[in-house]
Amino acid sequence: MYLRDMHNTKGHISEITTGTWHPTNRDLCVTAGTDSTLRIWDCSLRMRQKDVIVHKSRAAGSAGRTRMTAVCWGSSPQGNSSSLVAAALDGSLVMWNGEGPYNRPSAEIRDAHERDTWTGGLDISSDGRTVVTRGGDDTIKLWDTRKFKSPISTVSHPSTTSQYPTTAIKFSPTSTSIVTGSPDGTLHILNPATLKPEHTTPITPSSPLISLLWHPKLNQILTGSSNAETHVLYNPSLSSRGALDILSRAPKRRHIDDDPSLTTDTSIALTGDIIAPNGNLNAARAAGERRAAPLTGLTASGRSRDPRRPHIPLTTPFAKTNPDERHVRENIPLSSMRDEDPREALLKYAEKAEKEPLFTGAWRKTQPRTIYADVSDEEVEPEKKRVRKG
C-alpha cells in the first residue's frame, strides 16, 4: 500500500529526471520522477514534501503509471495564477493550475508526442499563453494554453534524446525568440510563431548541444555541450555585465617572480643578466643562449632545472647517504638489519618453526594439530566494574 499509493510516500521512490523553481516564489520547487509523480517542495519544510501530483497514464498496458520526462512552471504577468506543465514517456502533455489544487489536471493531451519517446525539452512563454516542446520523435511543437488540444505549429528537428535525456529548448526572456540546439552542435534561433529558423550559429561542431539558458537580466545565452564545453554568447550593445565585465578588464600583470628568464641559479648566471666582457654584447648573449638549460628535468647534481622550484636534498631509506655509513656497518653489530624488510626476515623462519617448534614441542605427539575453543559473542561476559572503596 505504501508503494502503490504515491500520496503516502515521503519522496520519490525512483529516479528523479528533472526539476525547476517556482517563477515568483523562491521557496518552492517541483521535481519530476520515473514514479509517475511530480512533487512540490518548500524550502521552509525540511525532510518532507508539500504536495504530490500523481499522473495516471491512460496508455494500454501501462498499469496507470509512466515516467515524467520534463516539467516547467510558468507565470502570467496579468496577475493570474501560474501554470504547471509536464511531459510523460507515454507521449502525453499535462497542465495543472500552478497554485493548486492538483487533484485533476486542467488540461491534458494524450498523444502530444509519439509514445515511448523521451520529451526532454519543455518551456512556457513569459505571458503564459504558449508552450513549446521538443520530443524524442524529432519534432518541435508549439501549443496554446487557452486551446490545449492540438499544436499551433509543428516542425521537424533532430533530437538527441537517444544519447542524452536533456534536449533543452527555451523561450527568450521577452518570448520573441525560441532557442534550441542540435546534434551537430549548432544553436538555432526559431520564430516563436512559425518555428522556422531565423538564425543559426555553430558552437561545438560534432558535439551535441544539450543544455541552454537565456539569462533575463544579463541578456546572454549560455550553452552546454556533450564534450563538457560551456560557451557564453552576448551582444556588445544589448547585453550587460557578465561576459562584458570579463572582456573589459585589462589582462592581469604577471609578477616578476613568474618570469622564468629571471633566476638565481648560478649555472645560468645570476638573475639572468648578461655580463658582456669588453662590451661585446652580442657574443655574450650568444654564449648565454648556449649555456641556457631547459626548465624541465634535473641537472647532473640532482637539482631541478626550474629555478622557481626549491632544491630537495636526495634522501634514501636508512640514511644511506650518511658519510659514516662504512664506520657504522663495520663497528656496530647487526647494523645490516636496517636494510632488511622485517616481514621478509620473519617469514624466513616460518617453515623451520613449523617443523621444529621450540615452545610447543611438548605437544607434538599428544596434540599435533592445535585446537581452539569456539567462543560465541554471547558467551563472552563483560568485565565487572571494580567497586570503589569509600
Side-chain angles (χ1 to χ4, degrees):
M1 185 63 183
Y2 172 79
L3 295 180
R4 287 298 302 174
D5 189 358
M6 293 292 104
H7 293 91
N8 294 331
T9 57
K10 298 181 180 180
H12 289 282
I13 63 172
S14 59
E15 178 186 359
I16 297 176
T17 56
T18 184
T20 185
W21 290 96
H22 190 280
T24 56
N25 191 345
R26 297 183 179 180
D27 292 334
L28 296 180
C29 65
V30 60
T31 55
T34 56
D35 55 359
S36 192
T37 64
L38 302 177
R39 300 177 187 263
I40 300 177
W41 307 84
D42 192 340
C43 296
S44 60
L45 302 177
R46 296 185 177 181
M47 305 301 293
R48 63 190 181 96
Q49 60 208 359
K50 182 180 179 182
D51 289 295
V52 180
I53 306 174
V54 181
H55 171 59
K56 295 183 179 179
S57 176
R58 300 184 183 182
S62 62
R65 289 192 180 186
T66 185
R67 299 180 180 181
M68 309 305 293
T69 59
V71 64
C72 186
W73 208 337
S75 62
S76 178
Q78 288 82 9
N80 301 329
S81 59
S82 60
S83 300
L84 188 61
V85 183
L89 189 64
D90 60 357
S92 61
L93 189 65
V94 193
M95 181 172 61
W96 291 270
N97 189 326
E99 310 304 327
Y102 307 106
N103 299 328
R104 292 183 179 180
S106 57
E108 180 179 359
I109 305 173
R110 296 187 183 181
D111 300 323
H113 287 275
E114 186 178 344
R115 183 181 175 183
D116 295 332
T117 58
W118 196 277
T119 304
L122 175 64
D123 197 19
I124 304 177
S125 61
S126 58
D127 57 4
R129 295 182 179 180
T130 53
V131 176
V132 63
T133 58
R134 181 180 175 183
D137 53 357
D138 297 337
T139 60
I140 296 178
K141 297 183 178 182
L142 193 66
W143 312 84
D144 191 343
T145 56
R146 296 165 294 182
K147 297 179 180 179
F148 209 60
K149 295 182 179 180
S150 59
I152 304 174
S153 302
T154 303
V155 295
S156 177
H157 191 84
S159 176
T160 59
T161 54
S162 58
Q163 296 179 342
Y164 309 97
T166 57
T167 54
I169 185 168
K170 296 291 183 182
F171 276 100
S172 64
T174 57
S175 299
T176 56
S177 301
I178 297 176
V179 291
T180 186
S182 62
D184 59 355
T186 304
L187 179 68
H188 297 261
I189 300 179
L190 310 178
N191 186 289
T194 61
L195 297 180
K196 294 183 178 180
E198 296 181 344
H199 185 71
T200 57
T201 302
I203 304 297
T204 52
S206 70
S207 295
L209 205 65
I210 57 178
S211 61
L212 291 168
L213 175 64
W214 194 321
H215 200 282
K217 294 183 179 180
L218 304 181
N219 197 19
Q220 299 174 14
I221 301 176
L222 287 80
T223 66
S225 303
S226 61
N227 59 354
E229 289 186 6
T230 302
H231 294 259
V232 181
L233 287 79
Y234 69 98
N235 188 308
S237 58
L238 301 179
S239 301
S240 61
R241 301 183 66 83
L244 293 179
D245 289 352
I246 300 175
L247 297 176
S248 61
R249 296 173 183 171
K252 184 179 179 181
R253 297 184 59 183
R254 298 179 63 89
H255 194 270
I256 190 172
D257 293 340
D258 297 335
D259 189 357
S261 63
L262 302 178
T263 177
T264 56
D265 193 350
T266 57
S267 61
I268 55 174
L270 291 173
T271 68
D273 296 335
I274 297 177
I275 303 176
N278 302 325
N280 192 354
L281 185 61
N282 295 330
R285 182 179 289 110
E289 292 177 355
R290 289 193 300 268
R291 290 195 305 267
L295 298 179
T296 58
L298 301 175
T299 61
S301 60
R303 291 178 176 270
S304 174
R305 297 185 185 274
D306 191 348
R308 296 169 295 179
R309 178 173 295 181
H311 174 63
I312 302 176
L314 180 63
T315 57
T316 57
F318 312 113
K320 291 184 178 181
T321 57
N322 190 348
D324 298 330
E325 178 185 0
R326 180 178 177 182
H327 173 79
V328 171
R329 185 174 61 253
E330 294 177 354
N331 296 278
I332 299 179
L334 302 178
S335 61
S336 61
M337 294 180 61
R338 297 181 303 169
D339 299 339
E340 294 182 356
D341 186 1
R343 183 175 180 274
E344 296 294 337
L346 291 175
L347 290 178
K348 287 193 306 183
Y349 302 97
E351 185 178 356
K352 182 178 179 180
E354 185 178 356
K355 293 181 179 179
E356 300 178 3
L358 180 63
F359 300 101
T360 59
W363 292 279
R364 292 186 60 182
K365 296 181 179 181
T366 59
Q367 187 178 338
R369 182 180 179 184
T370 306
I371 300 176
Y372 298 98
D374 297 332
V375 181
S376 62
D377 296 339
E378 298 178 356
E379 296 178 359
V380 179
E381 298 181 357
E383 297 181 359
K384 295 183 180 180
K385 297 183 178 179
R386 296 181 180 181
V387 180
R388 185 176 180 182
K389 297 180 180 181

